[in-house]
């Protein structure tokens, strides 16, 4: 099924996007979220999580790039 999903782009305004997502995948994902959550909100959460995950991976990859940096006390 195709879900029409609108996002607001911070530079250009509103973009309309059609996202094709397998119905079974949506049903499976909805098991883990609030039943009141719309498919558009679910897709927004998924994209937000994906961006955070990829940003985390990039930060982890940079971990060994500054060997002269002092250890940070925790």
């Amino acid at each position: 099924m195709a879900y029409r999903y609108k996002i607001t782009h911070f530079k250009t305004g509103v973009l309309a996007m059609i996202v094709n997502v397998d119905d079974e995948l949506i049903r499976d994902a909805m098991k883990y979220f609030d039943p009141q959550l719309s498919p558009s909100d679910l897709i927004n959460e998924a994209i937000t999580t994906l961006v955070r995950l990829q940003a985390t991976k990039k930060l982890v990859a940079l971990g060994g790039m500054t060997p002269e940096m002092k250890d940070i006390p925790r």
Side-chain angles (χ1 to χ4, degrees):
M1 173 176 231
Y3 292 95
R4 185 166 301 278
Y5 178 63
K6 287 191 176 183
I7 60 171
T8 303
H9 190 272
F10 67 97
K11 290 184 181 177
T12 61
V14 176
L15 301 172
M17 181 186 299
I18 296 175
V19 179
N20 293 314
V21 182
D22 183 39
D23 287 335
E24 186 175 329
L25 183 59
I26 290 288
R27 279 193 299 274
D28 287 347
M30 294 301 279
K31 291 177 189 176
Y32 300 103
F33 288 93
D34 180 7
Q36 304 300 324
L37 195 69
S38 72
S40 291
D41 290 338
L42 175 70
I43 292 168
N44 188 41
E45 282 292 322
I47 292 172
T48 301
T49 302
L50 178 64
V51 168
R52 287 180 181 163
L53 178 64
Q54 294 304 318
T56 301
K57 286 181 179 181
K58 283 188 174 188
L59 286 172
V60 167
L62 291 173
M65 298 296 193
T66 328
E68 69 278 356
M69 184 175 167
K70 293 181 183 176
D71 193 23
I72 299 171
R74 298 173 196 214

